Amino acid sequence: MRRSIFWIVDGLDEAESPCDLLKLLSKIRSFAKVNFLIISRPTKNLSRDISDLLPTMVHERITALDTVEDIRAHVRLSVQKILPTDKIQEEIVQDILSKASGSFLWVKLVLDNIRDNWYTKDNIRTALNELPVGMEPLYEKMINIISQQPEKTRVMATRILTWIACAFLPLTIADLEEALKPEFKDFVNLRNAAEEICGHFIVVNESRVTLIHQTARQFLLRKTSNLSLTLSEHGGHKHAATASTSGGAIFDGHPFLRYALFFWAYHVSLASVDSNKLLDIILSFLEEYCLLWINGIALTKDLRILTRAAQHLKTYIRRRTQKASKEPSQRSAMARDSELLQWANDIIRIVARFGANLAESPNSIYKHVVPFCPKESIIVKTFSAGRQSGFSVKGLSSQTWNDCLARLSMGNDQVAAKLLCKDTFFITLLAASGTMVLWRAETCEEVQRITHGEYVTQIASCKTSNLVATAGFKSTRVWDITTGTELHCLPKERHHHTKALAFGEKDEEILIAYDDCVVQCIDLKTSTEKWRFTAKEPGSHDFSCARHVAFSTDRLQVAIVFRGRPVVAWSVQNSSSTYIAPRRCVLAEDRLRSTTEGDAWNAPEVALWHPMTNHLLILYEDTKIAVWNIADDEQLVYDHTAARAMTLSHDGNFLLTSDFHGTLSVWVIPEYRLAYQMKYDEPVTDLAFSPDGSRLYDLRGSFCNVWEPDALVRADDIDHDNLSSSYETFISEPVMSSDDNSQVLVTSLACDSSDRLYCVGKEDGGIAMYTTGGEKVRKLLSHSSSVSVIKLAWSTSEKYFASADDSGKVIVKRLKPPTADKDRWAVFPVCDTRTQNNDAVEHFLFHTLDEYLLIGCSSYVCVVNMKLKKEVCRTSDAGCRKIWLNHPTDNSTLVHVDESTERQYLWKTLEPKFETSDVDSKLSALSLLGAPKNVEQAVQIRHQWLILNVQESGGAGPYQGSGNRCFELLDLAKLKNAAAPSEHRTRRHVVEGLAKHIRQLVGCFQDRVVFLDHQFWLCTWEMEPVYSKHKRHFFLPKDWVSPTAVKLIALNKQGTLLCPRNGEVAVVRSRLSH
């Protein structure tokens, strides 16, 4: 038997975040009936939130008359306990009730006073007569009592009340004692002292100190300016911020440490902005303790604290800016405001780029984070000087942060098709695999992956719960994204594609629109259809498929987009007994068209419903945007946005568009005036705003970019006392920006053997030489500007250099280093050839003594004699991918390694050094039974060992996954007299347990294998038969780790890492030997 559950929530308006609590309540699911009673003071925001999140809630207003009987019962019982036999009980009860005004709190305070004045009847009557009517007069009397205490006691009480009234969370007695230490020390019993001197304003419950009521907080901070004892809200927060940060106080006291770590910036955001003293204190704190503070937060694993703190600092600066705009005399005092803004931006970007690494290794903030930050960032200027960490990053020209907060890879070149922002998360949809990648919005950390199991075309979220729906070809599924649990699976009975999804008012039903214009509503409780209608006019024989469908915010209308026809808007009709004709958006330019000319010149592509006005925004093929007022059938057409994709902010104030090139633009609605533009040269797949409108998200290929322009104001950052002036300032002039992706991309790398130089091949066919300090030495050569250089090789002697492009052209040069007579590298031609059938070159190998060059393609290999400058031999080899290397001891021999064998060939002729018997060939063939395998990578360690990444064909590739690959150690010393592949088992050894740790092999350093793990840490592993451990050295920033860049990463013999980054190469020096 199911029982009903009753939940009572009293004082909702006093909650830290009432809206968040309502969201949690709206998400409760139970087999039993759950009933809520919510009690709160009425506020506009709460009334709206309750209506949105709990639409079935019945609203009733409680008046003073409604509480009379409850107060009467409480007062009568209390007075009976105080005066059990006195005849004046009823008189006292009536006197209290006449003055209560429905407030239990006032009654409680009155009864407390009577308990202290019950000795004689005159005492009681005096106490009653002196009691003020209402709450504020009572608070005023309590303030007067406090103010009459001795000065030191009065100051102590004022400071205690200030801390308790301004605190973000209730302080413990230990917290409070530590916070008071700068002024008051050695309390005998702070709990008793606080209760004694604070005039009934505070309550201590389980060692936590709080005010008696929310009204007391409002009174103390906002209504004491004309009283005998004054508390200032902004002044109180200024004191709290100062006490939390002055002289490193944040780290001095253990009891107060956690509170100060988390909330010092909150107090800064609300502090007074009248002088520069607090600003100087905060800047001094950041300059000395910022890294220590970040380390402390990282130890808690909750990096959202850092992001929120940075936003609090921005709010403080914004308030100072607003004040200076009204008082020109204050502008000269804002000289250091830009410094604090730089700190806030640095903190936000550090969390986005390094958050996951910091949570895993908090101490890395000291050594590894600062070198990866731009040279002109304030954190580098402050903490890089004098640090001898042995870790440095050079080669990048960018000196400052850009607006890109993070560039997130989907992994393994997977392409995301759709974006969805949901509460504190954002979701990227990998449509081909049906996988939702869930990211934490504040820190850009990947949380989990949820797989639908088939190609997914649509995704939608419920605004009142954690539910997200995905629609594939065969089924529609509903998920709880907080747990990753599948709650409903709805098989599709129809073979048409889903074009739109939307949850109903509650999360108990879902609306689905198909490309044949059928709209149906599914009851999620029963998984049955509640209703359906076809959005076609009676008698219509049009069988065109809808290109795009969009439900209105209230789910009462649906817009359908067809190619070459006007957009139509239907009222959602859940009853077959009624018919409401649709509205058609016919542009002025199409109204005079004849029937034979068709319906529309301009093909509509996308339609969006404005969340507030219910106007329909329609994007056309020629980039025009029509704003259609359906109710009045009026249109406004804007042709200046150049939009190819668009989305609206959640509040409808801004429109985000991208053009053909990928430039992002933010437009202010309703003027459609440009507010912000980010130039970027890569097409966009999808766009989204964060719920608060402060961040932009876009999908480009296998990346999701997260942008946080300073030009976009967060709703909670605005000083609502100056709302109009804030917005006028914000939208007055557009902010133009650009990203650093315009440089020609790096497509290949080659290192020298002495840690001095490296060479770079690019997608425009150019090849140049650089120093490891990042300075360009010279341009070496050029392939055609229409091809990409895909392979480079530099001989060990640095005498010869080979390059190949994606058209099959191979160019070999002889290099001569600078001399006393000539101060630059000289370049001489050796050969210029093209591969057979224009095959792409997969492998270069120089002879140990530079006598030969091996060129390997997918179908053959050949050898070029460097002295003769021509090809001397060739052999066809159409098997799986293979590895070639020089024999460790015999200069006349090279070694060919594949997934099962190692064979030796002569350099001069490419003939086998040893004959292979028929038996050995059969043994080799037998080893290939089962899943075919490829050797994806090989790293040679000194001259004795080779570690092989052996991958099953068709697997995930070297960039992701470890279940279908293994790592084998090959003992090259045993090749000396090996004549047959049947002996390969004695030379190879599978290293158990290693594969799961390696994402990408990078190279070797001394006698250790170097690799990137799955969190992009550069790691080393000392060879051992069975894996036991590896060592992490440093991590790569999140916006460096594209699949293409990771595959090109190179490591020279001295342990210097080369990593392509936006057309440049980052040179990372570290102490891998430590």
Side-chain angles (χ1 to χ4, degrees):
M1 178 177 178
R2 296 177 181 175
R3 297 181 179 179
S4 295
I5 300 173
F6 295 85
W7 282 31
I8 300 174
V9 180
D10 187 19
L12 178 63
D13 56 295
E14 297 181 41
E16 174 188 329
S17 179
C19 184
D20 289 345
L21 181 56
L22 286 172
K23 287 181 180 179
L24 292 174
L25 295 178
S26 70
K27 297 172 185 178
I28 292 175
R29 300 291 173 269
S30 173
F31 287 102
K33 182 179 180 181
V34 180
N35 302 274
F36 292 110
L37 173 62
I38 298 177
I39 304 167
S40 171
R41 287 181 299 166
T43 67
K44 181 180 177 181
N45 290 341
L46 270 180
S47 299
R48 183 198 63 215
D49 291 340
I50 291 174
S51 297
D52 288 345
L53 299 171
L54 299 170
T56 60
M57 184 71 71
V58 177
H59 296 253
E60 289 188 10
R61 190 175 186 85
I62 301 175
T63 67
L65 293 176
D66 295 321
T67 60
V68 166
E69 293 306 316
D70 292 329
I71 292 177
R72 187 190 307 277
H74 175 65
V75 171
R76 183 170 284 118
L77 180 61
S78 299
V79 171
Q80 286 175 355
K81 291 181 179 179
I82 298 170
L83 306 168
T85 60
D86 203 284
K87 295 179 181 179
I88 64 170
Q89 284 182 2
E90 191 59 27
E91 179 184 343
I92 295 172
V93 169
Q94 293 303 324
D95 203 354
I96 293 174
L97 289 176
S98 67
K99 300 175 181 179
S101 299
S103 172
F104 269 102
L105 173 64
W106 187 88
V107 169
K108 176 187 181 301
L109 295 173
V110 167
L111 292 172
D112 287 345
N113 238 340
I114 291 177
R115 286 190 182 94
D116 296 334
N117 296 276
W118 63 271
Y119 311 109
T120 67
K121 293 179 181 180
D122 288 336
N123 290 147
I124 295 173
R125 291 191 181 98
T126 301
L128 283 172
N129 291 333
E130 289 180 353
L131 283 174
V133 179
M135 301 294 287
E136 289 185 17
L138 178 58
Y139 290 153
E140 290 175 5
K141 181 177 179 181
M142 293 162 62
I143 284 289
N144 289 333
I145 292 173
I146 296 172
S147 67
Q148 293 170 10
Q149 300 177 112
E151 182 180 357
K152 188 171 183 179
T153 304
R154 183 175 68 251
V155 172
M156 184 186 299
T158 302
R159 190 61 74 208
I160 291 173
L161 289 174
T162 298
W163 269 109
I164 302 308
C166 292
F168 186 87
L169 294 175
L171 297 175
T172 66
I173 289 292
D175 288 337
L176 182 58
E177 186 167 355
E178 197 66 41
L180 294 171
K181 266 188 179 179
E183 297 173 275
F184 309 100
K185 301 179 180 179
D186 301 325
F187 284 99
V188 176
N189 189 320
L190 178 56
R191 174 173 183 160
N192 292 345
E195 291 177 333
E196 181 75 22
I197 68 176
C198 291
H200 298 296
F201 270 111
I202 67 169
V203 175
V204 181
N205 186 17
E206 295 182 354
S207 295
R208 294 200 172 270
V209 189
T210 60
L211 292 171
I212 53 174
H213 195 266
Q214 178 66 19
T215 56
R217 182 188 307 274
Q218 296 170 354
F219 174 83
L220 288 171
L221 295 179
R222 300 176 185 177
K223 297 185 178 182
T224 61
S225 57
N226 297 321
L227 300 181
S228 55
L229 186 144
T230 300
L231 275 71
S232 165
E233 180 175 13
H234 292 318
H237 285 292
K238 178 181 178 181
H239 173 79
T242 302
S244 298
T245 56
S246 294
I250 191 173
F251 305 108
D252 291 343
H254 176 69
F256 188 55
L257 174 62
R258 186 177 182 86
Y259 181 88
L261 275 172
F262 281 27
F263 302 118
W264 68 267
Y266 160 76
H267 291 296
V268 171
S269 70
L270 296 173
S272 58
V273 294
D274 295 330
S275 72
N276 287 335
K277 184 176 180 181
L278 177 61
L279 179 64
D280 292 338
I281 290 172
I282 298 306
L283 289 173
S284 297
F285 165 75
L286 291 170
E287 289 165 1
E288 188 167 357
Y289 298 108
C290 184
L291 299 188
L292 183 59
W293 170 58
I294 292 174
N295 185 21
I297 296 298
L299 287 168
T300 71
K301 308 295 184 185
D302 190 0
L303 297 176
R304 293 172 296 178
I305 300 297
L306 294 173
T307 305
R308 292 168 187 168
Q311 296 296 351
H312 287 317
L313 297 180
K314 286 188 172 185
T315 300
Y316 179 67
I317 293 300
R318 194 166 289 118
R319 290 178 54 233
R320 284 175 58 87
T321 303
Q322 290 170 1
K323 184 175 180 62
S325 67
K326 295 179 180 180
E327 301 176 18
S329 60
Q330 293 292 320
R331 293 178 184 174
S332 59
M334 298 184 64
R336 302 192 69 191
D337 286 48
S338 61
E339 292 182 45
L340 187 56
L341 186 59
Q342 289 180 60
W343 280 110
N345 288 332
D346 281 15
I347 292 165
I348 289 172
R349 280 153 177 78
I350 284 171
V351 173
R353 285 167 168 78
F354 309 105
N357 306 112
L358 285 171
E360 192 173 15
S361 177
N363 286 335
S364 61
I365 184 63
Y366 299 109
K367 180 179 178 181
H368 300 137
V369 170
V370 174
F372 282 120
C373 297
K375 298 299 179 285
E376 291 300 314
S377 63
I378 198 164
I379 199 162
V380 170
K381 290 180 177 179
T382 304
F383 294 110
S384 62
R387 287 183 175 266
Q388 302 296 326
S389 64
F391 185 82
S392 65
V393 180
K394 296 182 179 179
L396 301 181
S397 61
S398 177
Q399 299 294 306
T400 60
W401 300 108
N402 54 30
D403 287 340
C404 184
L405 199 61
R407 185 164 290 125
L408 308 173
S409 170
M410 302 300 106
N412 199 30
D413 289 326
Q414 297 182 81
V415 176
K418 289 187 179 294
L419 263 171
L420 177 69
C421 290
K422 172 64 177 168
D423 299 333
T424 58
F425 302 101
F426 64 95
I427 300 169
T428 53
L429 175 66
L430 311 180
S433 62
T435 300
M436 290 187 291
V437 186
L438 189 68
W439 308 83
R440 199 178 303 282
E442 288 188 289
T443 60
C444 300
E445 298 171 273
E446 182 177 330
V447 179
Q448 63 176 325
R449 297 194 174 208
I450 303 172
T451 302
H452 183 110
E454 58 173 322
Y455 193 97
V456 171
T457 59
Q458 296 294 327
I459 181 172
S461 65
C462 178
K463 68 178 183 179
T464 61
S465 68
N466 292 325
L467 302 190
V468 168
T470 52
F473 289 140
K474 298 179 181 179
S475 64
T476 299
R477 300 172 188 259
V478 179
W479 313 84
D480 183 337
I481 58 170
T482 59
T483 62
T485 305
E486 179 185 310
L487 302 179
H488 306 281
C489 179
L490 310 173
K492 284 179 63 176
E493 299 176 357
R494 321 183 74 258
H495 298 294
H496 290 271
H497 292 177
T498 301
K499 285 296 181 179
L501 287 173
F503 285 89
E505 285 189 6
K506 299 182 291 182
D507 55 11
E508 296 175 354
E509 61 184 28
I510 190 169
L511 281 67
I512 308 175
Y514 299 94
D515 61 358
D516 63 346
C517 302
V518 170
V519 179
Q520 67 175 168
C521 177
I522 304 294
D523 188 329
L524 293 178
K525 288 185 176 180
T526 61
S527 298
T528 58
E529 182 178 281
K530 295 179 70 173
W531 52 262
R532 77 163 58 190
F533 88 97
T534 302
K536 290 184 178 180
E537 298 183 64
S540 172
H541 298 290
D542 182 9
F543 298 103
S544 300
C545 288
R547 184 178 188 181
H548 177 83
V549 180
F551 289 103
S552 63
T553 307
D554 57 12
R555 310 299 188 254
L556 298 179
Q557 299 182 84
V558 59
I560 303 179
V561 177
F562 298 92
R563 177 176 286 278
R565 290 167 49 188
V567 174
V568 293
W570 288 79
S571 296
V572 173
Q573 300 164 38
N574 53 16
S575 172
S576 58
S577 61
T578 59
Y579 171 75
I580 304 173
R583 304 264 190 133
R584 291 157 53 92
C585 181
V586 182
L587 297 179
E589 63 194 59
D590 296 325
R591 288 176 181 169
L592 300 178
R593 290 170 61 80
S594 66
T595 305
T596 57
E597 290 177 313
D599 287 326
W601 288 108
N602 202 357
E605 296 192 333
V606 176
L608 299 175
W609 292 91
H610 192 280
M612 300 302 171
T613 64
N614 247 11
H615 294 171
L616 194 65
L617 279 70
I618 305 169
L619 175 62
Y620 289 86
E621 195 172 51
D622 65 353
T623 74
K624 289 179 181 177
I625 295 176
V627 182
W628 181 23
N629 180 343
I630 299 175
D632 299 330
D633 196 20
E634 296 177 348
Q635 303 159 9
L636 292 173
V637 178
Y638 299 92
D639 59 3
H640 63 288
T641 64
R644 293 300 300 144
M646 67 178 185
T647 191
L648 284 162
S649 63
H650 290 224
D651 59 7
N653 288 330
F654 300 107
L655 175 72
L656 172 62
T657 65
S658 67
D659 64 12
F660 281 102
H661 302 288
T663 293
L664 301 181
S665 301
V666 177
W667 309 88
V668 180
I669 295 176
E671 300 90 348
Y672 292 88
R673 179 152 43 94
L674 185 64
Y676 171 79
Q677 190 171 82
M678 162 59 69
K679 292 187 177 180
Y680 198 100
D681 191 17
E682 187 178 355
V684 169
T685 306
D686 200 12
L687 297 165
F689 272 103
S690 64
D692 65 1
S694 67
R695 289 184 181 177
L696 316 175
Y697 300 88
D698 69 51
L699 295 178
R700 304 171 193 258
S702 60
F703 291 97
C704 174
N705 292 310
V706 184
W707 310 88
E708 184 169 277
D710 288 334
L712 297 184
V713 178
R714 289 167 59 99
D716 56 357
D717 280 347
I718 298 172
D719 189 339
H720 293 276
D721 294 333
N722 301 289
L723 186 60
S724 59
S725 63
S726 299
Y727 275 132
E728 286 301 319
T729 301
F730 167 58
I731 65 174
S732 58
E733 294 292 336
V735 176
M736 315 300 287
S737 185
S738 63
D739 195 63
D740 55 358
N741 80 319
S742 57
Q743 299 190 60
V744 181
L745 295 182
V746 173
T747 52
S748 52
L749 277 173
C751 305
D752 71 351
S753 57
S754 58
D755 197 29
R756 296 182 299 111
L757 304 165
Y758 64 90
C759 293
V760 176
K762 295 197 171 184
E763 66 175 356
D764 64 353
I767 301 172
M769 179 187 291
Y770 294 82
T771 69
T772 50
E775 298 175 357
K776 186 175 181 178
V777 176
R778 65 158 295 168
K779 183 177 180 179
L780 290 182
L781 67 143
S782 290
H783 290 246
S784 169
S785 61
S786 62
V787 300
S788 298
V789 179
I790 61 173
K791 190 67 67 176
L792 297 178
W794 203 347
S795 66
T796 304
S797 67
E798 301 179 8
K799 184 177 180 181
Y800 291 102
F801 186 86
S803 63
D805 62 39
D806 54 9
S807 71
K809 188 171 185 177
V810 177
I811 301 176
V812 183
K813 299 286 186 180
R814 180 171 64 86
L815 306 181
K816 185 177 180 181
T819 63
D821 298 328
K822 194 171 184 180
D823 61 354
R824 64 177 298 180
W825 283 76
V827 182
F828 306 96
V830 175
C831 72
D832 188 332
T833 185
R834 190 171 292 277
T835 60
Q836 179 179 314
N837 300 322
N838 297 330
D839 284 355
V841 173
E842 295 184 355
H843 199 76
F844 277 136
L845 178 67
F846 279 103
H847 182 265
T848 306
L849 303 178
D850 290 346
E851 294 179 9
Y852 303 100
L853 170 66
L854 179 129
I855 304 172
C857 302
S858 59
S859 60
Y860 75 97
V861 293
C862 65
V863 172
V864 174
N865 186 301
M866 304 305 289
K867 291 183 179 179
L868 299 178
K869 301 183 180 181
K870 66 177 183 178
E871 181 181 322
V872 292
C873 56
R874 172 183 298 215
T875 181
S876 296
D877 194 341
C880 298
R881 178 182 284 178
K882 299 164 184 68
I883 302 298
W884 294 86
L885 62 148
N886 283 294
H887 194 283
T889 58
D890 186 353
N891 291 335
S892 67
T893 304
L894 69 162
V895 181
H896 167 238
V897 180
D898 63 18
E899 66 283 347
S900 61
T901 60
E902 310 87 38
R903 290 191 175 94
Q904 301 177 48
Y905 293 81
L906 297 175
W907 266 107
K908 289 183 179 180
T909 61
L910 280 181
E911 294 177 351
K913 186 175 181 179
F914 303 101
E915 292 295 330
T916 302
S917 67
D918 291 340
V919 174
D920 290 328
S921 298
K922 291 177 181 179
L923 287 172
S924 178
L926 285 173
S927 68
L928 295 176
L929 292 177
K933 296 181 179 181
N934 292 329
V935 178
E936 296 287 341
Q937 293 173 281
V939 171
Q940 190 168 355
I941 306 166
R942 297 193 184 276
H943 294 292
Q944 181 177 355
W945 294 95
L946 192 71
I947 184 164
L948 306 173
N949 177 4
V950 182
Q951 184 92 34
E952 289 184 9
S953 298
Y959 189 73
Q960 187 181 33
S962 58
N964 55 357
R965 65 176 180 168
C966 66
F967 287 88
E968 298 179 353
L969 275 179
L970 170 61
D971 188 350
L972 298 176
K974 294 184 178 180
L975 292 173
K976 206 175 282 187
N977 299 312
S982 57
E983 299 179 16
H984 83 280
R985 296 187 183 278
T986 65
R987 300 190 293 268
R988 291 195 183 191
H989 171 74
V990 175
V991 183
E992 298 293 341
L994 181 60
K996 66 181 180 181
H997 298 286
I998 297 180
R999 189 183 189 105
Q1000 176 84 15
L1001 277 177
V1002 174
C1004 72
F1005 177 68
Q1006 297 174 353
D1007 58 350
R1008 289 173 290 165
V1009 176
V1010 182
F1011 64 90
L1012 287 174
D1013 69 8
H1014 295 282
Q1015 288 73 44
F1016 297 104
W1017 281 80
L1018 192 78
C1019 308
T1020 56
W1021 170 68
E1022 293 189 11
M1023 290 185 301
E1024 51 189 344
V1026 177
Y1027 168 85
S1028 63
K1029 63 179 180 179
H1030 65 272
K1031 183 176 181 179
R1032 284 178 157 187
H1033 295 273
F1034 63 88
F1035 47 76
L1036 297 181
K1038 194 172 294 183
D1039 55 341
W1040 286 23
V1041 290
S1042 70
T1044 301
V1046 168
K1047 291 174 183 176
L1048 291 176
I1049 285 176
L1051 187 80
N1052 67 21
K1053 292 183 178 180
Q1054 283 68 38
T1056 298
L1057 187 80
L1058 305 178
C1059 180
R1061 164 84 171 125
N1062 289 340
E1064 300 176 315
V1065 176
V1067 181
V1068 184
R1069 281 194 170 94
S1070 64
R1071 296 176 178 175
L1072 293 183
S1073 58
H1074 292 278

